[in-house]
Every structure is written in structure tokens, then in C-alpha cells.
Amino acid sequence: MNRGRVLRRSFTIETKSPTLKSSGAIPAEIGNLVNLNYLYLQNNELTGSIPIEIGNLSNLIGLKLYGNQLSGSIPSEIGNLESLAYLSFFLNDLNGQIPPEIGNLTDLEHLHLHDNDLSGSIPVEIGELTNLSQLYLNQNQLTGPVPSAVSYTH
């Protein structure tokens, strides 16, 4: 009997095969997997935009979509993923601005957005991510200063 202990199940979707690659768009129905903890779809041939429904995955700890051909902007709904510790969207064709809602990700430790076509300024909210230990924004079209909190504390 389980008294006084909370058991947590971990749910993961991951593709690892170097020869079998997933392709096509990420379906909006991904947002129905609300108990998912890790979504690792890196190094595939995924196209299209990141669906806004990804913001429904409130239990997500790790989100790796790097090394695909994703385009469009990073949805502001990403700010709903308050348990997220790892966010890797690098090596895609993402454009637009980094959404300020990224500042809601207070557990975020690793933020990898490099090698895209992101533009605009770096949101000051990134400077408020006190758990952030890795920040990679290089190889984009970002302008302006790095928020002072990032440059002095991280």
C-alpha cells in the first residue's frame, strides 16, 4: 500500500533511429498528450510550424525539436510550459521574435535557439530566468543588447 508517497510516472516520446526519420508536420493533436514529460523529436525531417497546442503540455520538462526544418515563429503559448527545464529549437528555420512569454519558464536551465532566423531584440524576460545555465542565441538576426541580468549573472 502506498501511504504518504506520491508516485510520478514519466511519459516520453522520443525518436532515436538515425535511419528512420519522422517527416511532415507536428500535428495539433500533440496538445492532447497533457501527461507527457519529455518530447524529443530532434534530428528528423519535420516541417511546418510549431503548433500552438504545444502550450497544453503543462507537465513537459524537456522539449527538443532541434535539427528539423520547422518554420514560422515560436508560439507565445510556449510560456505555458512552466515546468520546462530544457528547450532546444536550434538548427531549424524559425523566424520572428523570441516571445517574451519565455520569461514564464522559471525552471528553465537550458535554452538553445541558435542557428535559426530569429529577429528583433532579446526579451528582457530572459534575464529573469534565474535557473538558466545555458543560453545559445547565436546565428540568428537578433539586434540590440543582451539583457543586463543575463550578462552579469549567467
Side-chain angles (χ1 to χ4, degrees), residues 72-123:
S73 60
I74 298 171
S76 61
E77 289 79 4
I78 206 81
N80 297 342
L81 308 179
E82 294 180 10
S83 297
L84 205 61
Y86 303 96
L87 177 60
S88 296
F89 287 169
F90 65 93
L91 287 171
N92 278 292
D93 296 316
L94 298 173
N95 57 40
Q97 297 188 347
I98 300 171
E101 290 83 1
I102 215 152
N104 297 343
L105 309 179
T106 55
D107 290 339
L108 198 62
E109 297 173 19
H110 299 169
L111 178 58
H112 300 163
L113 300 178
H114 58 89
D115 292 285
N116 279 291
D117 196 25
L118 298 170
S119 59
S121 60
I122 301 169

Side-chain angles (χ1 to χ4, degrees), residues 22-151:
S22 297
S23 62
I26 301 171
E29 290 79 11
I30 198 89
N32 296 334
L33 303 174
V34 294
N35 292 316
L36 196 62
N37 298 120
Y38 300 94
L39 179 59
Y40 294 164
L41 298 174
Q42 70 270 15
N43 295 320
N44 282 287
E45 295 174 359
L46 299 174
T47 58
S49 60
I50 300 169
I52 61 172
E53 290 82 2
I54 212 146
N56 296 343
L57 306 178
S58 58
N59 291 308
L60 215 54
I61 297 166
L63 178 56
K64 296 181 180 180
L65 301 178
Y66 65 83
N68 285 290
Q69 297 151 21
L70 296 170
S71 58
S73 60
I74 298 171
S76 61
E77 289 79 4
I78 206 81
N80 297 342
L81 308 179
E82 294 180 10
S83 297
L84 205 61
Y86 303 96
L87 177 60
S88 296
F89 287 169
F90 65 93
L91 287 171
N92 278 292
D93 296 316
L94 298 173
N95 57 40
Q97 297 188 347
I98 300 171
E101 290 83 1
I102 215 152
N104 297 343
L105 309 179
T106 55
D107 290 339
L108 198 62
E109 297 173 19
H110 299 169
L111 178 58
H112 300 163
L113 300 178
H114 58 89
D115 292 285
N116 279 291
D117 196 25
L118 298 170
S119 59
S121 60
I122 301 169
V124 294
E125 290 83 359
I126 286 180
E128 298 166 11
L129 299 174
T130 57
N131 291 316
L132 199 62
S133 63
Q134 292 184 3
L135 175 63
Y136 295 107
L137 301 175
N138 53 300
Q139 301 301 316
N140 280 295
Q141 306 300 319
L142 298 168
T143 58
V146 174
S148 59
V150 170
S151 57

